[in-house]
Amino acid sequence: MDIFNSKEYEWSDITAIVAGRPVTKIRAISYVKKQEKEALYAKGNKPHSIQRGNKSYETNITLLQSELEAIEAASGGDLLDASFNVVVSYGNPLKGDVIKTDLIEGNEITEVPKGMNQGDKFSEHELPGIALNIKNNYV
């Protein structure tokens, strides 16, 4: 008898390695692959094909300040000068999950915002970036 497993990956089962170090004070991570595409028109009013242009890769990592400080120190003090890989694994083998791993190559942060507000219990920092490549289901 086949068993249907509708379990989804959970945030608690994500492992992220940034610049070679496992990060535990990560609050969010997102990354996107993009490619320029344009419909090619010729005779008639319908496109004949879709032309493809450059690919681009955007990232966004949200960390607590202590993790940000540790990564800045590991990068020599200025995170804007660092280029590093990010490995993101989804799943928990102890729960029987199939582990899926994505590799973000050559990630570079484009902004390092800092600040806090009165009443904040912690400081969270969203770090946008760009990368050279994103390999999904990396082995």
Side-chain angles (χ1 to χ4, degrees):
M1 179 172 147
D2 290 335
I3 297 174
F4 177 72
N5 182 356
S6 63
K7 182 184 178 310
E8 294 293 327
Y9 293 109
E10 299 169 353
W11 176 251
S12 63
D13 295 333
I14 288 179
T15 301
I17 299 172
V18 177
R21 81 186 275 289
V23 291
T24 57
K25 296 178 183 170
I26 187 169
R27 300 273 295 169
I29 186 164
S30 63
Y31 41 98
V32 62
K33 296 178 175 184
K34 293 183 179 184
Q35 185 170 29
E36 298 170 352
K37 294 186 179 185
E38 180 180 314
L40 174 65
Y41 291 90
K43 181 168 175 41
N45 62 358
K46 294 184 179 178
H48 287 254
S49 66
I50 296 176
Q51 299 302 110
R52 298 175 182 194
N54 293 330
K55 290 184 178 183
S56 62
Y57 307 92
E58 296 176 6
T59 62
N60 212 322
I61 303 170
T62 304
L63 303 171
L64 295 178
Q65 185 161 348
S66 59
E67 195 75 65
L68 172 59
E69 301 294 342
I71 291 173
E72 278 186 328
S75 70
D78 191 348
L79 197 51
L80 294 176
D81 292 336
S83 179
F84 52 86
N85 292 344
V86 178
V87 179
V88 183
S89 294
Y90 299 86
N92 184 337
L94 299 176
K95 295 180 182 177
D97 293 344
V98 174
I99 305 300
K100 295 293 184 179
T101 300
D102 295 339
L103 172 64
I104 303 168
E105 295 180 307
N107 190 69
E108 293 201 13
I109 301 301
T110 58
E111 295 178 32
V112 183
K114 288 193 177 179
M116 287 189 77
N117 294 310
Q118 193 281 329
D120 284 351
K121 308 298 183 277
F122 56 89
S123 182
E124 178 178 278
H125 304 277
E126 186 176 325
L127 307 172
I130 58 175
L132 297 176
N133 196 10
I134 296 174
K135 294 181 179 176
N136 296 108
N137 300 317
Y138 181 74
V139 180

